[in-house]
Coordinates of all heavy atoms in Angstrom, one line a residue:
M254 N 16.1 -22.6 -1.3 CA 16.8 -22.7 -0.1 C 17.0 -21.3 0.5 O 17.4 -20.4 -0.1 CB 18.2 -23.4 -0.3 CG 19.1 -23.3 0.8 SD 20.7 -23.9 0.4 CE 20.9 -25.2 1.5
Y255 N 16.7 -21.2 1.8 CA 16.9 -19.9 2.5 C 18.0 -20.0 3.5 O 18.3 -21.0 4.1 CB 15.6 -19.6 3.3 CG 14.5 -19.1 2.4 CD1 13.5 -19.9 2.0 CD2 14.5 -17.8 2.0 CE1 12.5 -19.4 1.2 CE2 13.5 -17.3 1.2 CZ 12.5 -18.1 0.8 OH 11.5 -17.7 0.0
S256 N 18.7 -18.9 3.6 CA 19.8 -18.8 4.5 C 19.5 -17.7 5.5 O 19.4 -16.5 5.1 CB 21.1 -18.5 3.7 OG 22.1 -18.1 4.6
P257 N 19.2 -18.0 6.7 CA 18.8 -16.9 7.7 C 20.0 -15.9 7.8 O 21.1 -16.3 7.9 CB 18.5 -17.7 9.0 CG 19.1 -19.0 8.8 CD 19.3 -19.3 7.4
L258 N 19.6 -14.7 8.0 CA 20.6 -13.6 8.2 C 20.7 -13.4 9.7 O 19.8 -12.8 10.2 CB 20.1 -12.4 7.5 CG 20.1 -12.4 6.0 CD1 19.6 -11.1 5.4 CD2 21.4 -12.8 5.4
D259 N 21.7 -13.9 10.3 CA 21.9 -13.6 11.7 C 23.0 -12.6 11.9 O 22.8 -11.4 11.8 CB 22.1 -14.9 12.5 CG 23.1 -15.8 11.8 OD1 23.9 -15.4 10.9 OD2 23.2 -17.0 12.2
T260 N 24.2 -13.1 12.0 CA 25.3 -12.1 12.2 C 25.9 -11.7 10.8 O 26.8 -11.0 10.8 CB 26.4 -12.7 13.1 OG1 26.9 -13.9 12.5 CG2 25.9 -12.9 14.5
G261 N 25.4 -12.3 9.8 CA 26.0 -12.0 8.4 C 25.2 -11.0 7.6 O 25.4 -11.0 6.4
L262 N 24.4 -10.2 8.3 CA 23.7 -9.2 7.5 C 24.6 -8.3 6.7 O 25.6 -7.8 7.2 CB 22.8 -8.3 8.4 CG 21.6 -9.0 9.0 CD1 20.9 -8.1 10.0 CD2 20.6 -9.5 7.9
G263 N 24.3 -8.0 5.5 CA 25.1 -7.1 4.7 C 26.3 -7.8 4.0 O 27.0 -7.2 3.3
V264 N 26.5 -9.1 4.3 CA 27.6 -9.8 3.7 C 27.1 -10.7 2.5 O 26.1 -11.4 2.7 CB 28.3 -10.7 4.7 CG1 29.4 -11.5 4.1 CG2 28.8 -9.9 5.9
G265 N 27.7 -10.5 1.4 CA 27.2 -11.2 0.2 C 27.5 -12.7 0.3 O 28.4 -13.2 1.0
N266 N 26.7 -13.5 -0.4 CA 26.8 -15.0 -0.4 C 27.7 -15.3 -1.6 O 27.5 -14.9 -2.7 CB 25.4 -15.6 -0.5 CG 25.5 -17.1 -0.4 OD1 26.3 -17.7 -1.1 ND2 24.7 -17.6 0.5
T267 N 28.7 -16.2 -1.3 CA 29.6 -16.6 -2.4 C 29.2 -17.9 -3.1 O 29.9 -18.2 -4.1 CB 31.0 -16.8 -1.8 OG1 31.0 -17.8 -0.8 CG2 31.6 -15.5 -1.2
T268 N 28.2 -18.5 -2.7 CA 27.8 -19.8 -3.3 C 26.8 -19.6 -4.4 O 26.5 -20.6 -5.1 CB 27.2 -20.8 -2.2 OG1 26.0 -20.1 -1.7 CG2 28.1 -21.1 -1.2
G269 N 26.3 -18.4 -4.6 CA 25.3 -18.2 -5.7 C 24.7 -16.8 -5.6 O 25.2 -16.0 -4.8
V270 N 23.8 -16.5 -6.4 CA 23.2 -15.2 -6.5 C 22.2 -15.2 -5.3 O 21.3 -16.0 -5.2 CB 22.5 -15.0 -7.8 CG1 21.7 -13.6 -7.8 CG2 23.5 -15.1 -8.9
A271 N 22.2 -14.1 -4.5 CA 21.3 -14.0 -3.4 C 20.3 -12.9 -3.7 O 20.6 -11.8 -4.2 CB 22.1 -13.7 -2.1
E272 N 19.0 -13.1 -3.3 CA 18.0 -12.1 -3.4 C 17.5 -11.9 -2.0 O 17.1 -12.8 -1.3 CB 16.8 -12.6 -4.2 CG 15.8 -11.6 -4.4 CD 14.6 -12.1 -5.3 OE1 14.9 -12.8 -6.3 OE2 13.5 -11.8 -4.9
Y273 N 17.6 -10.6 -1.6 CA 17.2 -10.2 -0.2 C 15.7 -10.2 0.0 O 15.0 -9.7 -0.9 CB 17.8 -8.8 0.0 CG 17.4 -8.2 1.3 CD1 17.9 -8.8 2.5 CD2 16.7 -7.0 1.4 CE1 17.6 -8.2 3.7 CE2 16.4 -6.5 2.6 CZ 16.8 -7.1 3.8 OH 16.5 -6.5 5.0
Q274 N 15.2 -10.8 1.0 CA 13.8 -10.9 1.4 C 13.6 -10.3 2.8 O 14.4 -10.6 3.6 CB 13.3 -12.3 1.3 CG 13.5 -13.0 0.0 CD 12.6 -12.4 -1.1 OE1 11.4 -12.1 -0.8 NE2 13.1 -12.3 -2.3
T275 N 12.5 -9.6 3.0 CA 12.2 -9.1 4.3 C 10.7 -9.2 4.7 O 9.9 -9.2 3.8 CB 12.7 -7.6 4.5 OG1 12.3 -7.2 5.8 CG2 12.0 -6.7 3.5
A276 N 10.5 -9.5 5.9 CA 9.1 -9.5 6.4 C 8.8 -8.4 7.4 O 7.9 -8.4 8.1 CB 8.8 -10.9 7.1
V277 N 9.7 -7.4 7.4 CA 9.5 -6.2 8.3 C 8.2 -5.6 8.2 O 7.5 -5.3 9.1 CB 10.7 -5.2 8.1 CG1 10.4 -4.0 9.0 CG2 12.0 -5.9 8.5
R278 N 7.7 -5.3 6.9 CA 6.5 -4.7 6.7 C 5.3 -5.4 7.4 O 4.5 -4.9 8.1 CB 6.2 -4.4 5.2 CG 4.9 -3.7 5.0 CD 4.7 -3.5 3.5 NE 3.4 -2.8 3.3 CZ 2.9 -2.4 2.2 NH1 3.6 -2.6 1.1 NH2 1.8 -1.8 2.1
E279 N 5.3 -6.7 7.1 CA 4.2 -7.6 7.6 C 4.2 -7.5 9.2 O 3.1 -7.3 9.8 CB 4.3 -9.0 7.2 CG 4.1 -9.2 5.7 CD 5.3 -8.8 4.8 OE1 6.4 -8.7 5.3 OE2 5.1 -8.7 3.6
Y280 N 5.3 -7.7 9.8 CA 5.4 -7.7 11.3 C 5.1 -6.3 11.8 O 4.5 -6.1 12.9 CB 6.7 -8.2 11.8 CG 6.8 -9.7 11.7 CD1 7.4 -10.4 10.7 CD2 6.2 -10.4 12.8 CE1 7.5 -11.7 10.7 CE2 6.2 -11.8 12.7 CZ 6.9 -12.5 11.7 OH 6.9 -13.8 11.7
R281 N 5.5 -5.2 11.1 CA 5.3 -3.9 11.5 C 3.8 -3.6 11.5 O 3.2 -3.0 12.5 CB 6.0 -2.9 10.6 CG 5.7 -1.4 10.9 CD 6.4 -0.4 10.0 NE 6.1 -0.6 8.6 CZ 4.9 -0.3 8.0 NH1 3.9 0.3 8.7 NH2 4.7 -0.5 6.7
E282 N 3.1 -4.0 10.4 CA 1.7 -3.8 10.3 C 0.9 -4.6 11.4 O 0.0 -4.1 12.0 CB 1.2 -4.1 8.9 CG 1.6 -3.1 7.9 CD 1.3 -3.5 6.5 OE1 0.9 -4.7 6.2 OE2 1.4 -2.6 5.6
K283 N 1.4 -5.8 11.7 CA 0.7 -6.6 12.7 C 0.9 -6.0 14.1 O 0.0 -6.1 15.0 CB 1.4 -8.0 12.8 CG 0.9 -9.0 11.7 CD 1.6 -10.3 11.8 CE 1.3 -11.2 10.6 NZ 2.1 -12.5 10.7
A284 N 2.0 -5.3 14.3 CA 2.3 -4.6 15.6 C 1.5 -3.2 15.6 O 1.5 -2.6 16.7 CB 3.8 -4.3 15.7
G285 N 0.9 -2.9 14.5 CA 0.1 -1.6 14.5 C 1.0 -0.4 14.5 O 0.6 0.7 14.9
L286 N 2.2 -0.5 13.9 CA 3.1 0.6 13.9 C 3.2 1.2 12.4 O 3.2 0.4 11.5 CB 4.5 0.2 14.3 CG 4.7 -0.3 15.7 CD1 6.1 -0.8 15.9 CD2 4.5 0.9 16.6
S287 N 3.3 2.5 12.3 CA 3.6 3.1 11.0 C 5.1 3.0 10.8 O 5.9 2.7 11.7 CB 3.2 4.6 11.1 OG 4.0 5.3 12.0
Q288 N 5.5 3.3 9.6 CA 6.9 3.4 9.3 C 7.6 4.4 10.2 O 8.7 4.2 10.7 CB 7.2 3.6 7.8 CG 6.8 2.5 6.9 CD 6.9 2.9 5.4 OE1 6.7 4.1 5.1 NE2 7.1 1.9 4.6
E289 N 7.0 5.5 10.3 CA 7.5 6.6 11.1 C 7.7 6.2 12.6 O 8.7 6.4 13.2 CB 6.6 7.9 11.1 CG 7.2 9.1 11.8 CD 8.4 9.6 11.2 OE1 8.6 9.6 10.0 OE2 9.2 10.1 12.0
A290 N 6.7 5.5 13.1 CA 6.7 5.0 14.5 C 7.9 4.0 14.7 O 8.6 4.1 15.7 CB 5.4 4.5 15.0
L291 N 8.0 3.1 13.8 CA 9.1 2.1 13.9 C 10.4 2.8 13.8 O 11.4 2.5 14.6 CB 9.0 1.0 12.9 CG 10.1 0.0 12.8 CD1 10.2 -0.7 14.2 CD2 9.8 -1.0 11.7
A292 N 10.5 3.8 12.9 CA 11.8 4.5 12.7 C 12.2 5.2 14.0 O 13.4 5.2 14.4 CB 11.7 5.5 11.6
R293 N 11.2 5.8 14.7 CA 11.5 6.5 15.9 C 12.0 5.5 17.0 O 12.9 5.8 17.8 CB 10.3 7.3 16.4 CG 10.1 8.6 15.7 CD 9.0 9.5 16.5 NE 7.8 8.8 16.7 CZ 6.7 8.9 15.9 NH1 6.8 9.5 14.8 NH2 5.6 8.2 16.2
K294 N 11.3 4.4 17.1 CA 11.7 3.4 18.1 C 13.1 2.9 17.9 O 13.8 2.6 18.9 CB 10.8 2.2 18.0 CG 9.4 2.4 18.6 CD 8.6 1.1 18.5 CE 7.5 1.1 19.5 NZ 7.5 0.1 20.5
V295 N 13.6 2.8 16.7 CA 15.0 2.3 16.5 C 16.0 3.4 16.1 O 17.1 3.1 15.7 CB 15.0 1.2 15.4 CG1 14.1 0.0 15.9 CG2 14.5 1.6 14.1
D296 N 15.5 4.7 16.2 CA 16.4 5.8 16.0 C 17.0 5.9 14.6 O 18.2 6.1 14.4 CB 17.4 5.9 17.1 CG 18.0 7.3 17.2 OD1 17.4 8.3 16.9 OD2 19.2 7.3 17.6
V297 N 16.1 5.7 13.6 CA 16.6 5.9 12.2 C 15.5 6.8 11.5 O 14.5 7.0 12.0 CB 16.8 4.6 11.4 CG1 17.9 3.8 12.0 CG2 15.5 3.8 11.3
S298 N 15.8 7.1 10.2 CA 14.8 7.9 9.4 C 13.7 6.9 8.9 O 13.9 5.7 8.8 CB 15.5 8.6 8.3 OG 15.9 7.6 7.3
R299 N 12.6 7.5 8.6 CA 11.5 6.7 8.0 C 12.0 6.1 6.7 O 11.6 5.0 6.3 CB 10.2 7.6 7.7 CG 9.0 6.8 7.2 CD 7.9 7.6 6.8 NE 8.2 8.4 5.6 CZ 8.2 8.0 4.4 NH1 7.9 6.7 4.1 NH2 8.5 8.8 3.4
Q300 N 12.8 6.9 5.9 CA 13.3 6.4 4.6 C 14.1 5.1 4.8 O 14.1 4.3 3.9 CB 14.1 7.5 3.9 CG 14.4 7.1 2.5 CD 13.2 6.9 1.6 OE1 12.2 7.7 1.6 NE2 13.2 5.8 0.8
T301 N 14.8 5.0 5.9 CA 15.6 3.8 6.2 C 14.7 2.6 6.3 O 15.0 1.6 5.7 CB 16.5 4.0 7.4 OG1 17.4 5.1 7.2 CG2 17.2 2.7 7.8
I302 N 13.6 2.8 7.0 CA 12.6 1.7 7.1 C 12.0 1.4 5.8 O 11.9 0.2 5.4 CB 11.5 2.1 8.2 CG1 12.1 2.3 9.5 CG2 10.4 1.0 8.2 CD1 12.9 1.2 10.2
V303 N 11.7 2.4 5.0 CA 11.1 2.2 3.6 C 12.1 1.3 2.8 O 11.7 0.3 2.2 CB 10.9 3.5 2.9 CG1 10.6 3.3 1.4 CG2 9.7 4.2 3.6
N304 N 13.4 1.7 2.8 CA 14.4 1.0 2.0 C 14.6 -0.4 2.5 O 14.8 -1.4 1.7 CB 15.7 1.7 2.1 CG 15.7 3.0 1.3 OD1 14.9 3.2 0.4 ND2 16.6 3.9 1.6
I305 N 14.5 -0.7 3.8 CA 14.6 -2.0 4.3 C 13.4 -2.9 3.9 O 13.5 -4.0 3.4 CB 14.8 -2.0 5.9 CG1 16.1 -1.4 6.2 CG2 14.6 -3.4 6.5 CD1 16.3 -1.1 7.7
E306 N 12.2 -2.3 4.1 CA 11.0 -3.0 3.7 C 10.9 -3.4 2.2 O 10.4 -4.4 1.9 CB 9.8 -2.2 4.1 CG 9.5 -2.1 5.6 CD 8.2 -1.4 5.9 OE1 7.5 -0.9 5.1 OE2 7.9 -1.4 7.1
Q307 N 11.5 -2.5 1.4 CA 11.4 -2.7 0.0 C 12.6 -3.5 -0.5 O 12.8 -3.8 -1.7 CB 11.3 -1.4 -0.8 CG 10.0 -0.7 -0.5 CD 9.8 0.6 -1.2 OE1 10.8 1.1 -1.8 NE2 8.7 1.2 -1.1
G308 N 13.5 -3.9 0.4 CA 14.7 -4.8 0.0 C 15.8 -4.0 -0.7 O 16.6 -4.6 -1.3
R309 N 15.7 -2.7 -0.6 CA 16.7 -1.8 -1.3 C 18.0 -1.8 -0.5 O 19.1 -1.5 -1.0 CB 16.2 -0.4 -1.5 CG 15.2 -0.3 -2.5 CD 14.9 1.2 -2.7 NE 13.6 1.3 -3.3 CZ 12.8 2.3 -3.1 NH1 13.2 3.3 -2.3 NH2 11.6 2.4 -3.6
S310 N 17.9 -2.0 0.9 CA 19.1 -2.0 1.7 C 18.9 -3.0 2.8 O 17.8 -3.4 3.2 CB 19.4 -0.6 2.3 OG 18.3 -0.2 3.2
E311 N 20.0 -3.5 3.3 CA 20.0 -4.5 4.4 C 20.5 -3.8 5.6 O 21.6 -3.2 5.6 CB 21.0 -5.7 4.0 CG 20.5 -6.5 2.8 CD 21.5 -7.6 2.5 OE1 22.7 -7.5 2.9 OE2 21.1 -8.5 1.8
P312 N 19.8 -4.0 6.7 CA 20.3 -3.3 7.9 C 21.5 -4.0 8.5 O 21.7 -5.2 8.3 CB 19.1 -3.5 8.9 CG 18.4 -4.7 8.4 CD 18.6 -4.7 6.9
R313 N 22.4 -3.2 9.1 CA 23.5 -3.8 9.9 C 22.9 -4.6 11.1 O 21.8 -4.5 11.4 CB 24.4 -2.8 10.3 CG 25.1 -2.0 9.1 CD 26.4 -1.4 9.6 NE 27.0 -0.7 8.5 CZ 27.9 -1.3 7.7 NH1 28.4 -2.5 7.9 NH2 28.5 -0.5 6.7
V314 N 23.7 -5.4 11.6 CA 23.3 -6.4 12.7 C 22.6 -5.7 13.8 O 21.5 -6.1 14.2 CB 24.5 -7.2 13.2 CG1 24.1 -8.0 14.4 CG2 25.0 -8.1 12.1
F315 N 23.2 -4.6 14.4 CA 22.6 -3.9 15.5 C 21.2 -3.3 15.2 O 20.3 -3.3 16.0 CB 23.5 -2.9 16.1 CG 24.7 -3.6 16.8 CD1 26.0 -3.4 16.3 CD2 24.5 -4.5 17.9 CE1 27.1 -4.0 16.9 CE2 25.6 -5.1 18.5 CZ 26.9 -4.9 18.0
L316 N 21.1 -2.8 14.0 CA 19.8 -2.2 13.6 C 18.8 -3.3 13.4 O 17.6 -3.2 13.8 CB 19.9 -1.4 12.3 CG 18.6 -0.8 11.7 CD1 17.9 0.0 12.8 CD2 18.9 0.0 10.5
A317 N 19.2 -4.4 12.8 CA 18.3 -5.6 12.6 C 17.8 -6.1 14.0 O 16.6 -6.4 14.2 CB 19.0 -6.7 11.9
I318 N 18.7 -6.2 15.0 CA 18.3 -6.6 16.3 C 17.3 -5.6 16.9 O 16.3 -6.0 17.5 CB 19.6 -6.8 17.2 CG1 20.4 -8.0 16.7 CG2 19.2 -6.9 18.7 CD1 21.8 -8.1 17.3
A319 N 17.6 -4.3 16.7 CA 16.7 -3.3 17.3 C 15.3 -3.3 16.6 O 14.3 -3.2 17.3 CB 17.3 -1.9 17.1
I320 N 15.2 -3.6 15.3 CA 14.0 -3.7 14.6 C 13.2 -4.9 15.2 O 12.0 -4.9 15.5 CB 14.2 -3.8 13.1 CG1 14.6 -2.4 12.6 CG2 12.9 -4.2 12.4 CD1 15.1 -2.5 11.1
A321 N 13.9 -6.0 15.3 CA 13.3 -7.3 15.8 C 12.7 -7.1 17.2 O 11.6 -7.5 17.5 CB 14.3 -8.4 15.8
A322 N 13.5 -6.4 18.1 CA 13.0 -6.1 19.4 C 11.8 -5.1 19.4 O 10.8 -5.4 20.1 CB 14.1 -5.5 20.2
A323 N 11.8 -4.1 18.6 CA 10.8 -3.1 18.5 C 9.5 -3.8 18.0 O 8.4 -3.3 18.3 CB 11.2 -2.0 17.6
L324 N 9.6 -4.8 17.2 CA 8.4 -5.5 16.7 C 7.9 -6.7 17.6 O 7.1 -7.4 17.2 CB 8.7 -6.0 15.3 CG 9.0 -4.9 14.2 CD1 9.4 -5.5 12.9 CD2 7.8 -4.0 14.1
G325 N 8.5 -6.8 18.7 CA 8.0 -7.8 19.7 C 9.0 -9.0 19.8 O 8.5 -10.1 19.9
D326 N 10.3 -8.8 19.7 CA 11.3 -9.8 19.8 C 11.1 -10.9 18.8 O 11.1 -12.1 19.1 CB 11.3 -10.4 21.2 CG 11.9 -9.4 22.2 OD1 12.9 -8.7 21.8 OD2 11.5 -9.4 23.4
I327 N 10.9 -10.5 17.6 CA 10.7 -11.5 16.4 C 12.1 -12.0 16.1 O 13.1 -11.3 16.2 CB 10.2 -10.8 15.2 CG1 8.9 -10.0 15.5 CG2 10.0 -11.7 14.0 CD1 7.8 -10.9 16.0
A328 N 12.2 -13.3 15.8 CA 13.5 -13.9 15.4 C 14.0 -13.2 14.2 O 13.3 -13.0 13.2 CB 13.4 -15.4 15.2
L329 N 15.3 -13.0 14.1 CA 15.9 -12.3 12.9 C 15.7 -13.2 11.7 O 15.5 -12.6 10.6 CB 17.4 -12.1 13.1 CG 17.8 -11.0 14.1 CD1 19.3 -10.9 14.3 CD2 17.2 -9.7 13.8
S330 N 15.7 -14.5 11.8 CA 15.5 -15.4 10.7 C 14.1 -15.2 10.1 O 13.8 -15.6 9.0 CB 15.8 -16.8 11.0 OG 15.0 -17.3 12.1
E331 N 13.1 -14.7 10.9 CA 11.8 -14.5 10.5 C 11.7 -13.2 9.7 O 10.8 -13.0 8.8 CB 10.8 -14.5 11.7 CG 10.6 -15.8 12.3 CD 9.8 -16.8 11.3 OE1 8.9 -16.4 10.7 OE2 10.3 -17.9 11.3
L332 N 12.5 -12.2 10.1 CA 12.4 -10.9 9.5 C 13.3 -10.7 8.2 O 12.9 -10.0 7.3 CB 12.9 -9.8 10.5 CG 11.9 -9.5 11.7 CD1 12.6 -8.5 12.6 CD2 10.6 -9.0 11.2
F333 N 14.4 -11.3 8.2 CA 15.4 -11.1 7.2 C 15.9 -12.4 6.7 O 16.4 -13.3 7.4 CB 16.6 -10.3 7.7 CG 16.2 -9.0 8.3 CD1 16.2 -8.9 9.7 CD2 15.8 -7.9 7.6 CE1 15.8 -7.7 10.3 CE2 15.4 -6.8 8.2 CZ 15.4 -6.7 9.6
R334 N 16.0 -12.6 5.3 CA 16.6 -13.8 4.8 C 17.0 -13.5 3.3 O 16.6 -12.6 2.7 CB 15.7 -15.0 4.8 CG 14.2 -14.8 4.4 CD 13.4 -16.0 4.4 NE 12.6 -16.0 5.7 CZ 11.9 -17.1 6.0 NH1 11.9 -18.2 5.3 NH2 11.3 -17.1 7.1
K335 N 17.9 -14.4 2.9 CA 18.3 -14.3 1.5 C 17.9 -15.6 0.8 O 18.1 -16.7 1.3 CB 19.8 -14.1 1.4 CG 20.3 -12.7 1.7 CD 21.7 -12.6 1.4 CE 22.1 -11.1 1.7 NZ 23.5 -10.9 1.3
E336 N 17.3 -15.5 -0.3 CA 17.0 -16.7 -1.1 C 18.2 -16.9 -2.0 O 18.7 -16.0 -2.8 CB 15.8 -16.4 -2.0 CG 15.4 -17.6 -2.8 CD 14.1 -17.3 -3.6 OE1 13.1 -16.9 -3.0 OE2 14.1 -17.5 -4.8
V337 N 18.8 -18.0 -1.9 CA 20.1 -18.3 -2.6 C 19.8 -19.3 -3.7 O 19.2 -20.4 -3.5 CB 21.1 -19.0 -1.6 CG1 22.4 -19.3 -2.4 CG2 21.4 -18.0 -0.5
S338 N 20.2 -18.9 -4.9 CA 20.0 -19.8 -6.1 C 21.4 -20.1 -6.6 O 22.3 -19.3 -6.7 CB 19.2 -19.2 -7.2 OG 19.8 -17.9 -7.6
S339 N 21.7 -21.4 -6.9 CA 23.0 -21.8 -7.3 C 23.2 -21.6 -8.8 O 22.4 -21.6 -9.6 CB 23.3 -23.3 -7.0 OG 22.4 -23.8 -6.1

């Protein structure tokens, strides 16, 4: 079961263990952007993009929206989700 991350980015799930999933890398590559180029578009460091793509960190809502817009107005639920296991 997937729970889309909309306004709840960064908030833990209380119904079970959540595993963070991201499709940022796939959409970034489809858009022909490097990590550095995406980072410049959303005004963060390249390392921030690396951490998001590798699931090490979850972006706050405004950064997630900026990333989605920079990648071509992709729906947040397509870019970020948590797999919830009970």
Side-chain angles (χ1 to χ4, degrees):
M254 170 189 236
Y255 283 101
S256 171
L258 296 178
D259 46 14
T260 59
L262 289 174
V264 178
N266 186 308
T267 58
T268 61
V270 177
E272 183 179 321
Y273 177 64
Q274 301 290 320
T275 179
V277 172
R278 180 178 180 178
E279 292 82 11
Y280 281 99
R281 176 182 57 76
E282 289 174 347
K283 284 179 188 177
L286 295 172
S287 66
Q288 290 172 331
E289 183 67 33
L291 178 57
R293 279 194 308 267
K294 281 182 162 243
V295 297
D296 199 28
V297 296
S298 70
R299 185 189 67 79
Q300 190 60 47
T301 298
I302 300 300
V303 169
N304 289 338
I305 291 168
E306 286 184 356
Q307 294 179 353
R309 290 187 201 148
S310 64
E311 296 176 341
R313 297 206 180 261
V314 173
F315 291 117
L316 178 54
I318 292 168
I320 290 170
L324 294 175
D326 289 324
I327 307 299
L329 290 179
S330 61
E331 289 294 315
L332 289 178
F333 308 103
R334 45 178 99 188
K335 284 189 179 183
E336 184 176 304
V337 179
S338 58
S339 341

